[in-house]
């Protein structure tokens, strides 16, 4: 179940770029698209925020951290990075997050990780380099690379914060409440950064071109909000609760593969032979990392939280 949810999250996140690119080409600023995405999702999740308002008193730090890092931080840093360095380079640097998650687990939480999990990360990152064809344009820009690394660090925050409380049983914060308040915090922060009052709102009432096919801009925005944000965050956070930050992080690398395939099918951006090989390597790496999770009761080094955490996660994620 955890692996299935992680895959669903990767598919949902991977579809965001295909829907966002036509809107950007139609005249919207990238930051305005990000603000529409987060603010729209926050509005959808608002009833859940009201329902779980006790979280404001119980876990204010978690909610603020999730909103700043997992929502606003990742989006703002990534879009700022691609304004200075190639998209492929920025994406590769951002998806160093799974390796950074392993470092967090090993050196901050002082928990052992399996060699298989580490090998899965190495394969996934290497395959990702082929998917984005990082060799096609390495324009070194120190600020741009630092911004991309900032996106990677914020993505580590997404995986680590999503795992908070997974071993607390009935006292664990409800993941839907965390997501709802994270989106509200992210929307507030991005409002200051994106300044949506300067946006060309007329674009949303028109159509955008998807590989020559006109598509209603409102339909594309609905996909970005409902599927690529609400569904993506919900399935992603719950999958981390059921798996672990490091395993879910490796599976999330599939987002780049899915995004590339969707761009091939819907936008006419064809895949090269190295990209196809790289996609296969990412799949192998994700499988190795996921299959390295020991059976319940095993005393081996863990790539997930272990047997006890798996039992508690079953109750928390449902």
């Amino acid at each position: 179940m955890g692996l299935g949810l992680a895959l669903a999250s990767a598919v949902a996140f991977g579809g965001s770029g295909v829907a966002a690119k036509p809107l950007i080409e139609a005249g919207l600023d990238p930051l305005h698209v990000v603000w529409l995405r987060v603010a729209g999702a926050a509005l959808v999740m608002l009833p859940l925020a009201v329902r779980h308002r006790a979280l404001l008193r119980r876990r204010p730090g978690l909610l603020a951290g999730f909103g700043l890092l997992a929502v606003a931080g990742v989006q703002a840093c990534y879009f700022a990075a691609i304004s200075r360095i190639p998209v492929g380079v920025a994406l590769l640097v951002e998806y160093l997050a799974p390796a950074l998650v392993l470092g967090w687990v090993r050196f901050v939480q002082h928990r052992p990780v399996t060699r298989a999990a580490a090998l899965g990360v190495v394969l996934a990152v290497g395959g990702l380099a082929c998917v984005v064809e990082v060799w096609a344009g390495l324009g070194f820009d120190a600020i741009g690379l630092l911004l991309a690394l900032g996106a990677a660090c914020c993505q580590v925050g997404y995986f680590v914060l999503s795992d908070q409380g997974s071993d607390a049983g009935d006292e664990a914060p409800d993941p839907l409440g965390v997501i709802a308040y994270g989106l509200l915090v992210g929307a507030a922060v991005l409002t200051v950064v994106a300044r949506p009052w300067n946006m060309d709102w007329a674009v949303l009432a028109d159509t955008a071109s998807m590989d020559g096919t006109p598509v209603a801009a409102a339909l594309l925005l609905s996909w970005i909000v409902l599927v690529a944000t609400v569904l993506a965050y919900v399935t992603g956070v719950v999958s981390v609760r059921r798996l672990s930050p490091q395993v879910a992080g490796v599976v999330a690398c599939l987002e780049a593969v899915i995004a590339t395939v969707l761009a091939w099918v819907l936008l006419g951006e064809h895949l090269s032979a190295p990209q196809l090989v790289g996609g296969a390597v990412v799949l192998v790496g994700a499988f190795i990392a996921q299959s390295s999770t020991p059976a319940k009761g095993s005393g081996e080094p863990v790539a997930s939280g272990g047997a006890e955490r798996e039992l508690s996660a079953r109750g928390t994620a449902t």
Side-chain angles (χ1 to χ4, degrees), residues 16-235:
S16 63
V18 175
K21 187 171 182 178
L23 292 177
I24 294 172
E25 292 177 343
L28 287 181
D29 184 270
L31 276 178
H32 289 159
V33 176
V34 174
W35 179 83
L36 287 168
R37 174 185 186 180
V38 175
L43 186 61
V44 172
M45 299 289 284
L46 185 59
L48 286 172
V50 174
R51 178 180 178 183
H52 297 286
R53 56 188 177 274
L55 284 174
L56 286 172
R57 182 184 70 259
R58 292 172 47 211
R59 303 298 292 269
L62 173 62
L63 302 182
F66 194 86
L68 291 172
L69 296 176
V71 178
V74 172
Q75 303 294 335
C77 287
Y78 174 71
F79 277 92
I82 63 176
S83 69
R84 307 182 68 99
I85 61 176
V87 173
V89 177
L91 188 61
L92 176 61
V93 174
E94 179 183 343
Y95 273 88
L96 290 176
L100 297 177
V101 168
L102 274 183
W104 173 275
V105 171
R106 180 66 183 89
F107 299 109
V108 178
Q109 296 183 336
H110 302 292
R111 292 162 50 196
V113 296
T114 62
R115 292 181 179 179
L119 175 62
V121 169
V122 172
L123 287 175
V125 173
L128 190 61
C130 295
V131 171
V132 301
E133 293 188 327
V134 66
W135 57 83
L138 278 173
F140 184 81
D141 184 301
I143 297 177
L145 291 176
L146 285 175
L147 287 168
L149 184 59
C153 292
C154 289
Q155 194 162 14
V156 172
Y158 163 72
F159 291 115
V160 172
L161 291 172
S162 296
D163 190 48
Q164 292 298 305
S166 61
D167 55 356
D170 293 337
E171 297 299 321
D174 189 285
L176 296 181
V178 173
I179 296 167
Y181 279 104
L183 288 168
L184 286 171
V185 172
V189 173
L190 288 171
T191 297
V192 177
V193 176
R195 293 177 291 182
W197 46 87
N198 294 329
M199 182 170 56
D200 184 4
W201 292 89
V203 173
L204 298 178
D206 205 345
T207 60
S209 176
M210 180 175 283
D211 195 24
T213 302
V215 181
L219 180 61
L220 294 173
L221 180 60
S222 298
W223 175 274
I224 293 172
V225 170
L226 298 177
V227 177
T229 306
V230 174
L231 179 63
Y233 272 105
V234 169
T235 53

